Amino acid sequence: MSVLRRAKTWEISESEDSDADFRPALNRDVSLEDQEAQSSNNKCKTLPSSPTKKLSQTCALSPPRSEGSFTPSPARKRRTKEEIEANRQKANERKEERKKQRAARAQEKEERRQEQQRRKEAAENLKSLRPENYIKRLTVCIDPALLQQDGSDILLDTLAGLEWKFNIDNQQLAHSITWTRDLPQGKEGQVTVEEEEQVVLILSLADFMDVVISVKKMLDSEGGETETGTVLSPLLECLNQDAKKLVTLLVTDCELDHRSLCFPEEMLQCKLGLNNLDTEEVLVYLQLYKNISLVFLDSWQHITDHVCAVTKALSKRPYKILTEQSELPFCVDGSWASGVRVERDGSGLIQVWSRQIQQLNRVSPAVACTVTTSYPSPQLLLQAYQKLGSEEERKGMLAGLLVKTGGKERRIGPEISARIYRCFTAPNSQLVLD
């Protein structure tokens, strides 16, 4: 049996076989990948656009696309250094402007707060100056020597009943009563004590006789020194140290039937042998040269009433001074004070001018109205005075003006005319017009 052997049709070497097999296989692989990519793209194009199946059916090889317009974004322009610097400078300017605005608002807020604080302090200060509140700052200082006299307990009981502050302390003048007031200073609550100028010196009749004799001897010796050990010597020394002190001598145990404020001439003439001229001389020295007042009382009840009256007067003085500080007291705002309000347009000045003339004694509103009608301002009145040549003509310039009151006419007269002239032209501010 013959054995047929199939012959190998091709005998190819290993190098030729590898080169021949690589090329067609590579070409086939590339073509297969292109076909698969193309088929997958086609499938993606044919997929429905349902929103529920869009994410699950999106091809992995194709990138997701937005549903909006496909307009490409413009390329960003790069800024130059000058533009960057300009923008930075504008930003800094805006920042500084905001800082200035915040600082201005903070300053305005602080000013409003300070203004409110000043108004509050001014209101509290004004309230504290009222007599019913200011009297709580006063303290009545009593010399211990007065407590040895009979009836001095009346003064202490009265001050305690009125709930006024008082203390018993040695005074510069024996048998004297003084007053002090508390002045708050600063925000820490510190209080300073200031002495009032009022001094009440309580003397017996014998001590007062000693004062009169000492004054008479001093005047006879033409201002010689007083004897040491007398009542007058420490009194004059106190007045020399502080000339603003106002001393009032309260003479007790007086056996006079009349208890007036006048000087008891009969008593001095009987007990001291002084005549009327000597009495007047002593009185002038005490009251005018040393500013010493003299009051005769007969009991401690009257002394207590006098001390209480002085205390009340001291409590009313600060508020009274505050209300009298206005430069034009005749131009007070408010109908209760019969004042006149001057507006910015000048209305009301003629009423003020009329009120100023009415401040003179015996010048009625009708006379003032006549003067202001003829001369609507003080400047016009002064110009009219300057046009006249002599002093007599100026004094009588207003005398012939007619004043109409109640259907009757009369003239101002030379007396009122001369008084108005002196009031507006006299260089002496202390001149007495009447």
Side-chain angles (χ1 to χ4, degrees):
M1 181 169 117
S2 62
V3 179
L4 295 178
R5 298 179 62 186
R6 180 178 237 177
K8 294 181 181 181
T9 57
W10 294 98
E11 297 289 336
I12 303 173
S13 64
E14 293 179 1
S15 61
E16 292 177 351
D17 186 44
S18 61
D19 292 338
D21 294 337
F22 179 76
R23 292 188 183 92
L26 183 60
N27 294 333
R28 286 195 300 271
D29 294 337
V30 172
S31 61
L32 288 176
E33 290 176 0
D34 294 339
Q35 291 176 3
E36 289 175 359
Q38 185 176 2
S39 62
S40 59
N41 289 336
N42 294 332
K43 290 180 181 180
C44 291
K45 292 181 180 179
T46 58
L47 287 176
S49 60
S50 176
T52 58
K53 298 181 180 181
K54 182 181 297 182
L55 296 176
S56 61
Q57 297 177 356
T58 302
C59 180
L61 297 179
S62 60
R65 300 180 181 179
S66 60
E67 296 181 359
S69 61
F70 296 95
T71 304
S73 60
R76 184 175 181 181
K77 184 180 179 181
R78 298 188 63 181
R79 296 181 298 174
T80 61
K81 293 182 178 180
E82 292 77 6
E83 293 177 348
I84 295 175
E85 187 64 26
N87 293 336
R88 186 182 293 108
Q89 185 176 0
K90 290 181 180 179
N92 292 335
E93 290 178 356
R94 290 193 296 268
K95 186 176 181 181
E96 293 295 332
E97 185 66 23
R98 288 193 296 269
K99 287 183 179 180
K100 290 181 180 180
Q101 292 177 359
R102 286 194 296 268
R105 289 193 295 267
Q107 183 178 1
E108 184 179 358
K109 184 178 179 180
E110 182 65 19
E111 290 178 356
R112 288 198 301 267
R113 188 191 65 80
Q114 293 179 359
E115 181 66 22
Q116 292 176 358
Q117 184 67 19
R118 285 194 295 269
R119 291 181 179 179
K120 183 179 179 180
E121 292 177 357
E124 292 177 354
N125 186 28
L126 180 62
K127 184 178 179 180
S128 64
L129 291 180
R130 293 185 177 277
E132 61 273 12
N133 297 325
Y134 191 82
I135 199 171
K136 300 177 182 178
R137 297 184 180 181
L138 295 176
T139 302
V140 183
C141 304
I142 305 173
D143 189 77
L146 293 175
L147 302 181
Q148 300 177 3
Q149 300 183 14
D150 296 336
S152 59
D153 55 340
I154 299 177
L155 176 61
L156 301 181
D157 294 341
T158 303
L159 295 178
L162 295 173
E163 297 182 355
W164 292 352
K165 294 190 299 182
F166 66 93
N167 61 4
I168 300 173
D169 195 6
N170 293 325
Q171 303 297 316
Q172 184 178 1
L173 294 176
H175 300 84
S176 66
I177 299 175
T178 59
W179 287 262
T180 60
R181 63 176 180 268
D182 299 335
L183 298 178
Q185 298 288 340
K187 298 181 180 180
E188 299 179 357
Q190 298 179 356
V191 178
T192 58
V193 179
E194 185 174 352
E195 293 185 0
E196 297 284 353
E197 64 274 9
Q198 295 289 339
V199 178
V200 171
L201 182 59
I202 301 175
L203 300 177
S204 63
L205 186 58
D207 293 335
F208 174 68
M209 295 294 182
D210 184 38
V211 171
V212 174
I213 295 173
S214 300
V215 171
K216 181 58 180 173
K217 289 181 179 180
M218 184 176 60
L219 294 178
D220 293 339
S221 61
E222 297 180 356
E225 296 182 357
T226 59
E227 300 178 1
T228 59
T230 61
V231 179
L232 185 62
S233 178
L235 177 59
L236 296 181
E237 183 180 356
C238 177
L239 294 177
N240 292 332
Q241 293 178 359
D242 190 357
K244 295 182 180 180
K245 291 290 185 180
L246 303 177
V247 181
T248 301
L249 299 181
L250 300 184
V251 182
T252 59
D253 299 331
C254 188
E255 299 176 356
L256 299 177
D257 294 336
H258 62 281
R259 300 179 181 87
S260 60
L261 299 180
C262 62
F263 199 87
E265 299 177 358
E266 295 82 358
M267 180 193 65
L268 296 178
Q269 291 178 2
C270 296
K271 294 188 176 183
L272 300 179
L274 298 177
N275 55 26
N276 293 336
L277 183 60
D278 295 335
T279 301
E280 294 177 358
E281 189 176 5
V282 172
L283 177 64
V284 168
Y285 179 80
L286 291 176
Q287 293 185 348
L288 299 184
Y289 284 88
K290 297 301 179 180
N291 202 13
I292 298 175
S293 302
L294 184 62
V295 180
F296 288 90
L297 302 174
D298 59 350
S299 65
W300 266 96
Q301 182 61 50
H302 293 89
I303 295 176
T304 301
D305 296 340
H306 182 85
V307 172
C308 293
V310 174
T311 306
K312 291 181 180 180
L314 292 176
S315 66
K316 296 178 181 179
R317 185 176 59 176
Y319 191 79
K320 185 177 180 181
I321 293 176
L322 185 63
T323 55
E324 293 179 353
Q325 285 181 352
S326 57
E327 297 180 356
L328 299 177
F330 53 85
C331 189
V332 181
D333 186 14
S335 58
W336 60 270
S338 300
V340 178
R341 183 179 181 84
V342 178
E343 303 295 341
R344 292 186 176 181
D345 58 355
S347 58
L349 287 175
I350 189 67
Q351 287 83 3
V352 174
W353 171 223
S354 177
R355 295 290 176 87
Q356 187 176 3
I357 298 179
Q358 293 180 38
Q359 300 304 302
L360 300 176
N361 293 334
R362 299 184 299 279
V363 175
S364 62
V367 174
C369 181
T370 301
V371 176
T372 56
T373 302
S374 303
Y375 304 95
S377 68
Q379 188 66 27
L380 295 177
L381 179 61
L382 294 177
Q383 292 176 359
Y385 282 139
Q386 293 174 358
K387 292 180 181 178
L388 299 178
S390 63
E391 188 77 9
E392 295 298 329
E393 293 179 353
R394 296 171 183 172
K395 290 183 180 180
M397 184 182 68
L398 304 177
L401 297 180
L402 296 177
V403 181
K404 297 181 180 180
T405 54
K408 299 181 180 179
E409 291 185 356
R410 63 182 181 88
R411 299 185 183 276
I412 290 181
E415 182 182 355
I416 297 179
S417 177
R419 194 185 315 137
I420 295 175
Y421 170 73
R422 288 194 298 269
C423 177
F424 289 97
T425 60
N428 184 13
S429 60
Q430 303 297 330
L431 179 64
V432 179
L433 299 178
D434 292 339

